[in-house]
Amino acid sequence: MNETEILKAMNRIDGQYLDVRAGIKQHPAKWYRRPAAIAAAVCAAAAMTVTAGAVYNVFFHKESVEHYISASDSLPETPCLTAENSHIRLTVDKILYDGCVPTLIITAEALDEQGLRLIAETPIIYFSSRQQPDPVTLGLAGGGEMFRDDQEDEKIYKYICELDSEDLLNSGLDKPVFLHFSFSGEHRVKLNEKGGVDTSEMLSAEVRFEKNLETAEYISSDGRCITMSPIAAQLGSGFTLEEGENDLLMDMQLKYSDGSIGPLPHSKTTTDHLNYEITEGVASVGYERLFYGRVLDISDVTAVIVKGQEFTRK
Amino acid sequence: MTDGEIIELFNARSGDAVTEASKAYSGRLKRLALSFLGSEQDADEALNDAYMKAWQTIPPMEPDDLFGYLARLVRCTCFDMLDKHSALKRSACLVELTNELSECIADTSTDFEAGELAELLNSFLSKQKPYKRRLFVLRYFYGLKISELAAETGFSESKVNTALSRMRRELKDYLKRKGVSL
């Protein structure tokens, strides 16, 4: 048996799966939409000049971190990185890595009127590295998920960002990675003379991802695994969801060392993306991930319970 | 002309049936054929064969989705051509698709019936969320490139890559759990 035979076997899949005329229902992320006024402002934006590199500085936004992860004082200290131009200051307030998905807390501040218009839209992220010198997009909300709640202050936006990208992970996180944030909209990305993405007008930060969160694995009798860190839980493979059932992660129960059982906390901000259209029948939900919205002491969690089945700590 | 009207032409054995089907779908079908075959000439030959098979099978077949039906015929024809003529050039896309699907293979030592594998694929696909299933079918049935998938779905290319990579991983795990050694 070889891979060509899998490709050939696709000839015989059910005819109902071949009808791809219906659109995919995407999760309701506001930042996909581009209001006409903002689009006009983006098109009229003058070229930005960017200060070279990223510097350590005092612009740490504790309120940004607390907004998405409460009780955050117990999180590890990480470098606070800033890049700015005359319109926007971008700060990476926290860099967290549990060995699965890097997570960033980011603050974007408008420094002038043009900055107000530019930061009204969620930036597009690109990354490059020594292994991946040509910048690769992490996209609007895929690969690099940037979540943003409704916020009242139009001069400052706080983001929580998951960099769940195979391209990024495969490039190797043991070396520094450059993240480039484009506030001019993906359709305005400039190309360099080689046809690659020109990041010279983006705000860039060199980031190092080192595993700085403890993790614990919880294993079921049939070998399935759930990984937990102090900020998020992630399913392994082999998990399914029946039609009509609630999301597995959001319904998960935690068993503590004193024998008590309680729900898994979760942040509304980042669980909206789990609210995909439920499939007919049964859906595979392997590798899905959920933020708690606060720091969880996983040392006290001896087991997790999913659909009545216990997963014990490895 | 709608699919229903074109199928009526087939049923009526009208000479316009293939013409109208070709008018509606030849661009996309040729693109599909070029996903697997390395030359325009071979792709044209595959299309002609597929139209002939459609003529021979409709009626009694009455496909709900005419494009999907024709696409299946084109695909089968392409693989038949590749099997029969080893000198035929495989497209770069086909090489890419097979390289990706090689990730789903745990053990190459066991053969089994093609029908069994198709059933397992159907079962696997039935368990996927609609958007993932659509991505998988668009990539591995219709042979769309990652950039085309991104444009089609509105997802970033990175998200498409990530979703497909996870599905390949899940397919490998699924086949192992079902006790299938490929």
Side-chain angles (χ1 to χ4, degrees):
Chain A
M1 170 55 61
N2 58 44
E3 52 275 5
T4 303
E5 293 184 39
I6 300 181
L7 210 52
K8 279 187 187 175
M10 290 289 292
N11 282 345
R12 299 167 72 160
I13 60 169
D14 200 307
Q16 63 174 314
Y17 301 144
L18 300 186
D19 188 351
V20 290
R21 287 171 294 187
I24 289 177
K25 186 172 180 179
Q26 295 184 27
H27 61 86
K30 296 194 196 65
W31 45 87
Y32 281 137
R33 296 191 179 78
R34 219 174 275 278
I38 300 297
V42 164
C43 290
M48 295 191 293
T49 56
V50 180
T51 56
V55 297
Y56 289 88
N57 63 73
V58 297
F59 292 112
F60 174 64
H61 302 87
K62 184 177 163 71
E63 67 278 12
S64 294
V65 181
E66 278 290 318
H67 183 83
Y68 290 110
I69 308 177
S70 60
S72 62
D73 284 340
S74 56
L75 289 175
E77 289 288 328
T78 63
C80 175
L81 311 175
T82 286
E84 67 176 69
N85 56 29
S86 52
H87 308 298
I88 300 171
R89 178 183 302 126
L90 191 78
T91 307
V92 180
D93 296 294
K94 192 63 81 174
I95 304 167
L96 301 167
Y97 184 39
D98 58 7
C100 296
V101 176
T103 303
L104 308 176
I105 308 284
I106 296 170
T107 307
E109 299 173 83
L111 301 177
D112 62 9
E113 285 294 319
Q114 186 153 321
L116 280 176
R117 288 191 292 271
L118 292 172
I119 69 167
E121 285 233 26
T122 301
I124 311 293
I125 316 176
Y126 295 82
F127 87 93
S128 60
S129 64
R130 186 175 296 180
Q131 290 75 21
Q132 179 62 54
D134 294 323
V136 175
T137 181
L138 291 175
L140 265 173
E145 297 267 11
M146 286 193 70
F147 297 100
R148 184 173 94 184
D149 289 336
D150 286 333
Q151 295 174 34
E152 292 177 1
D153 187 348
E154 62 177 7
K155 297 193 198 69
I156 186 165
Y157 284 98
K158 315 176 188 77
Y159 296 92
I160 183 165
C161 176
E162 281 196 299
L163 300 177
D164 188 9
S165 161
E166 289 285 325
D167 292 331
L168 176 64
L169 298 174
N170 290 339
S171 76
L173 294 182
D174 55 337
K175 304 283 188 306
V177 169
F178 286 92
L179 299 180
H180 313 280
F181 296 82
S182 169
F183 285 87
S184 63
E186 196 158 22
H187 65 286
R188 292 264 301 157
V189 168
K190 282 172 58 178
L191 300 181
N192 57 30
E193 56 205 14
K194 293 181 193 170
V197 173
D198 181 348
T199 58
S200 62
E201 292 180 8
M202 299 185 192
L203 294 172
S204 301
E206 180 185 350
V207 181
R208 288 177 178 270
F209 295 108
E210 293 166 349
K211 186 172 183 291
N212 57 4
L213 295 174
E214 60 164 326
T215 51
E217 290 183 337
Y218 297 83
I219 313 289
S220 65
S221 56
D222 57 4
R224 289 176 298 155
C225 177
I226 297 172
T227 304
M228 290 183 68
S229 76
I231 63 169
Q234 181 157 334
L235 301 176
S237 69
F239 289 89
T240 57
L241 191 68
E242 307 274 344
E243 186 177 358
E245 279 186 332
N246 290 328
D247 186 81
L248 291 186
L249 285 166
M250 288 197 278
D251 263 13
M252 203 158 86
Q253 301 267 299
L254 304 181
K255 193 172 183 180
Y256 297 94
S257 54
D258 63 2
S260 63
I261 293 176
L264 179 73
H266 53 79
S267 154
K268 185 185 183 310
T269 303
T270 52
T271 49
D272 277 351
H273 78 292
L274 289 174
N275 191 24
Y276 285 111
E277 177 186 356
I278 299 297
T279 192
E280 314 80 40
V282 178
S284 169
V285 291
Y287 302 106
E288 288 201 343
R289 185 175 168 86
L290 176 140
F291 270 104
Y292 312 138
R294 65 173 177 87
V295 176
L296 185 70
D297 180 7
I298 60 171
S299 66
D300 196 33
V301 177
T302 57
V304 301
I305 302 166
V306 177
K307 291 210 276 189
Q309 184 176 11
E310 193 164 294
F311 290 64
T312 50
R313 189 172 180 128
K314 190 175 172 184
Chain B
M1 206 174 244
T2 65
D3 281 3
E5 288 166 344
I6 298 176
I7 289 171
E8 278 306 309
L9 292 175
F10 275 99
N11 288 337
R13 310 317 283 162
S14 162
D16 290 337
V18 171
T19 306
E20 290 301 326
S22 173
K23 227 188 262 178
Y25 297 124
S26 66
R28 291 165 68 190
L29 291 172
K30 182 156 176 187
R31 197 229 159 282
L32 171 62
L34 283 170
S35 295
F36 300 106
L37 301 171
S39 80
E40 297 250 351
Q41 189 180 342
D42 291 339
D44 286 335
E45 186 183 331
L47 247 68
N48 287 336
D49 278 357
Y51 287 132
M52 187 172 70
K53 286 173 188 165
W55 179 257
Q56 290 167 346
T57 54
I58 305 173
M61 296 298 294
E62 206 162 317
D64 292 326
D65 173 20
L66 182 59
F67 174 70
Y69 184 75
L70 291 172
R72 204 197 292 271
L73 292 176
V74 166
R75 227 174 164 272
C76 288
T77 305
C78 288
F79 280 110
D80 286 344
M81 287 168 69
L82 288 167
D83 284 344
K84 283 180 186 147
H85 307 289
S86 56
L88 265 190
K89 193 177 166 192
R90 280 160 168 73
S91 71
C93 174
L94 179 60
V95 172
E96 207 173 274
L97 294 177
T98 48
N99 281 345
E100 286 175 17
L101 287 175
S102 68
E103 295 171 19
C104 305
I105 296 176
D107 178 358
T108 57
S109 64
T110 306
D111 278 336
F112 60 92
E113 295 292 324
E116 186 181 355
L117 181 55
E119 266 182 46
L120 288 167
L121 283 173
N122 275 317
S123 177
F124 171 74
L125 288 173
S126 74
K127 292 170 172 49
Q128 301 306 310
K129 288 181 175 176
Y131 85 97
K132 286 185 177 178
R133 187 163 57 230
R134 187 165 181 249
L135 283 175
F136 195 89
V137 170
L138 283 171
R139 179 73 176 144
Y140 299 115
F141 183 90
Y142 289 106
L144 259 63
K145 296 181 208 171
I146 302 296
S147 56
E148 290 169 328
L149 282 172
E152 173 85 13
T153 60
F155 292 133
S156 70
E157 290 188 24
S158 187
K159 183 172 177 106
V160 169
N161 270 324
T162 300
L164 288 172
S165 172
R166 286 180 177 176
M167 287 190 76
R168 291 195 298 271
R169 205 181 338 167
E170 285 190 58
L171 176 58
K172 181 179 175 180
D173 291 344
Y174 178 76
L175 293 173
K176 272 169 84 173
R177 279 204 309 280
K178 290 292 182 183
V180 173
S181 294
L182 300 184

